[in-house]
Amino acid sequence: MDLSLDRERTALVVIDLQMGIVALTGQPYAAKTVVERAVQLTAAFRAAGAFVVLVNVGSRDGKAMLRPVTDQVPPRREMSSDFMRLVPELQVQDTDHLVTKHQWGAFYGTDLDLQLRRRNIDTIVLSGISTNIGVETTAREAFSHNYQQVFAQDAMTAQSKEEHDHTVKYIFPRIGRVRSTEEIIAALKR
């Protein structure tokens, strides 16, 4: 299916491209590659006058983070002073909307839905880290909020190729359209 994006009704939502996350090893794409493609997307969306949302995750004092009892213990990471800082390559603009989340998804407990609806946006393009955690959870929430979605599959990555591939092959096609960064930029220019 051909892709066409209305710049007035489409937003780019970039998940967790921050100092403490991009330092992790990504598969199938290196974090550096994901950042480069996200920079291409943000530049294209800004040039088109479309809405750009940059999301980070964390808690300044650590108290807002979730701590469920789980079978798999999450990796313990020391949160450096710049853990939550967005990577400088994104070149945050005054027109960008910044969202700080405290769990996997970018909708729950934030003003993301409110800001999208105020701008009459009905379609979001998602990218970021991690494909199967922050991006997928946000995508599932967006689906529940009835947003149309496009997934920049080569502008996201996971801890393993298997995790990324599973989400891109089995989850995303059921709730939106999977495209490359190049296809998305071309669709925005139409």
Side-chain angles (χ1 to χ4, degrees), residues 88-109:
E89 293 91 333
L90 290 175
Q91 298 180 12
V92 177
Q93 305 292 307
D94 290 340
T95 55
D96 298 339
H97 183 67
L98 306 179
V99 171
T100 296
K101 61 188 177 81
H102 304 290
Q103 62 283 320
W104 289 0
F107 280 89
Y108 182 79

Side-chain angles (χ1 to χ4, degrees), residues 10-178:
T10 304
L12 173 66
V13 179
V14 180
I15 304 292
D16 300 345
L17 293 189
Q18 61 193 71
M19 301 304 289
I21 302 290
V22 299
L24 303 173
T25 302
Q27 293 294 328
Y29 304 105
K32 178 182 178 190
T33 300
V34 171
V35 169
E36 289 169 357
R37 291 181 179 145
V39 166
Q40 292 171 359
L41 287 166
T42 56
F45 272 70
R46 289 171 183 147
F51 192 47
V52 173
V53 179
L54 304 175
V55 179
N56 69 345
V57 64
S59 171
R60 301 257 179 248
D61 63 4
K63 293 180 181 178
M65 301 303 290
L66 301 175
R67 291 179 184 78
V69 176
T70 61
D71 286 332
Q72 183 178 2
V73 177
R76 278 301 202 212
R77 294 187 196 118
E78 289 299 316
M79 289 182 64
S80 63
S81 60
D82 69 348
F83 180 89
M84 293 174 58
R85 187 168 55 91
L86 294 167
V87 294
E89 293 91 333
L90 290 175
Q91 298 180 12
V92 177
Q93 305 292 307
D94 290 340
T95 55
D96 298 339
H97 183 67
L98 306 179
V99 171
T100 296
K101 61 188 177 81
H102 304 290
Q103 62 283 320
W104 289 0
F107 280 89
Y108 182 79
T110 73
D111 72 340
L112 180 56
D113 183 52
L114 173 69
Q115 295 304 325
L116 295 172
R117 291 189 192 283
R118 282 185 175 176
R119 289 165 175 80
N120 205 28
I121 290 169
D122 62 8
T123 303
I124 63 172
V125 173
L126 278 167
S127 70
I129 300 175
S130 179
T131 306
N132 62 311
I133 298 178
V135 180
E136 182 178 327
T137 303
T138 300
R140 288 173 182 257
E141 292 172 339
F143 177 75
S144 295
H145 282 82
N146 200 34
Y147 286 99
Q148 301 299 316
Q149 298 184 82
V150 180
F151 305 102
Q153 72 83 19
D154 60 349
M156 60 181 74
T157 198
Q159 293 283 311
S160 71
K161 183 180 184 315
E162 293 78 15
E163 291 169 310
H164 173 86
D165 289 348
H166 180 273
T167 296
V168 169
K169 182 176 179 180
Y170 296 107
I171 305 300
F172 289 166
R174 297 181 81 176
I175 60 177
R177 295 162 286 173
V178 179

Side-chain angles (χ1 to χ4, degrees), residues 1-7 48 179 182-190:
M1 178 191 307
D2 196 28
L3 181 66
S4 179
L5 297 172
D6 179 349
R7 68 194 81 217
R179 299 293 188 274
E182 184 178 322
E183 290 172 307
I184 292 166
I185 291 171
L188 191 62
K189 291 181 179 180
R190 287 192 185 119

